[in-house]
Each structure stands twice: as C-alpha cells, then as structure tokens.
Amino acid sequence: MVRAGLTTERLTRAGAELADEVGFDQVTVSALARQFDVKVASLYSHVKSSHDLKTRIALLALDELADRGATALAGRAGKDALTAFANVYRDYAREHPGRYAAAQLRLAPETAAASAGVRHAQMTRAILRGYDLVEPDQTHAVRMLGSMFHGYVSLEMAGGFSHSAPDSQESWSRVLDALDSLLRNWPAP
C-alpha cells in the first residue's frame, strides 16, 4: 500500500532539501525513509533506488538552475549577460550546496539529452553570440566558462579563498572582467 502523501515529486524535493543539509553524497533512500519515518520498502513504489533518487535530484537542480539562468539573462547581452549567468551559478551553489553538487552528477546520455542541461548549453551559447564566436571556438568557450564557474564556486565553497585578502567577491569580479576581455579578444587558431 502506498503511504498517503508520498509522491515521487515530494520525495525528490525532500531529497534535495536533505542534500542541502547533509551533503549530496549522504542522500539515500534509507536516509529519506528515516526522515519520513517510514520503512524503506514503502519508498520503492516512488523511486527505484538511491541512484534513481539522486538522478531525480540532479534533474530538479538542473531545472532550477536553468529557470534562474533564463530569468537572469532576459534582456541582457555581452558582459552584463555573462556576469548575470555566472552569478546564478555562484548564488545557487551558496543557497543550495547539495543541489549544486547534484547538478554535477554524471547522467546517462539519454537522461542528459532530455534534461535542462541542454538549456544551460543553449543559454551559454546565447551569451557567446554577443561575442561573435563561431564553431569550434564557441564550443571551446562553453567548456571554458563552465569550467571556470564550477571551479571557482567549488574552491570558494570549500573555503579555499577565505584565508587571505582580497575578498573573494573582488576576485570574482576580476575573473569575470578577464573572461569578458578574453571573449571579446578570442585568439585566432
């Protein structure tokens, strides 16, 4: 019998909240069952496994990030768009560290292709159109931006910038200025 009130969506959202509290790696069906004070078996009618739960959390995080990105990019171009998009990732990671970690989960190819990850790439390419990059440089730039955003945010969240001056925000602004300059002056092959 399915426990009243438990749905796949509710369990996914609860798993996402749990990830933010204890870390994405700690999210399991067992941990979620304890949270709802139910037997683990009662959750298997909603999620197949801990991996299925984590995949659902990853998809939720990608959707949330894409929605925030689309809102932030509306009406912006060039450096303004680049900065707004970068800040979406940084702010989301600060607000939802477990969900942000979930967004990095390696998805099966068919799941990835149907996810909001595609929207992230499309938004990044939309930003890059303002810099007049064509292929294959556009793909190189998409990879560079993703690596920079994730690398900076990951190091910052791990405390890597908290032990010295200047303030991390100042460095973030300088990095975004440098990226804008690089994109405007993209080197020829």
Side-chain angles (χ1 to χ4, degrees):
M1 179 168 142
V2 175
R3 184 155 176 118
L6 292 182
T7 64
T8 303
E9 182 178 344
R10 184 169 178 214
L11 292 173
T12 301
R13 290 205 173 274
E17 290 169 15
L18 184 62
D20 288 339
E21 292 170 20
V22 302
F24 183 60
D25 290 341
Q26 302 302 312
V27 174
T28 62
V29 174
S30 296
L32 208 52
R34 283 191 298 277
Q35 185 173 329
F36 281 98
D37 195 27
V38 298
K39 294 183 190 267
V40 173
S42 67
L43 299 186
Y44 286 122
S45 61
H46 304 288
V47 293
K48 297 174 190 168
S49 63
S50 289
H51 180 72
D52 179 46
L53 174 62
K54 286 183 173 189
T55 298
R56 291 174 186 281
I57 296 168
L59 294 172
L60 171 68
L62 288 169
D63 280 337
E64 290 175 344
L65 267 167
D67 290 345
R68 285 185 182 201
T71 299
L73 287 177
R76 298 178 192 258
K79 183 180 177 196
D80 190 34
L82 174 69
T83 300
F85 196 60
N87 285 334
V88 163
Y89 281 86
R90 187 174 183 223
D91 293 345
Y92 188 81
R94 289 171 160 179
E95 293 168 32
H96 301 291
R99 293 177 205 208
Y100 180 78
Q104 310 311 311
L105 182 69
R106 185 176 185 157
L107 300 172
E110 62 279 357
T111 302
S115 77
V118 174
R119 287 176 55 205
H120 293 261
Q122 290 169 338
M123 286 185 279
T124 305
R125 287 180 186 281
I127 292 167
L128 293 174
R129 280 195 295 275
Y131 292 99
D132 295 322
L133 295 181
V134 296
E135 288 301 344
D137 291 331
Q138 196 176 87
T139 296
H140 296 315
V142 167
R143 292 171 180 166
M144 178 190 69
L145 291 177
S147 299
M148 196 295 299
F149 298 162
H150 178 65
Y152 193 98
V153 166
S154 296
L155 288 169
E156 183 178 46
M157 289 178 56
F161 306 138
S162 62
H163 58 279
S164 62
D167 179 80
S168 181
Q169 178 58 45
E170 185 178 338
S171 296
W172 179 249
S173 296
R174 297 283 302 268
V175 166
L176 295 177
D177 288 345
L179 284 171
D180 174 62
S181 179
L182 174 63
L183 291 169
R184 281 187 283 111
N185 301 292
W186 191 265

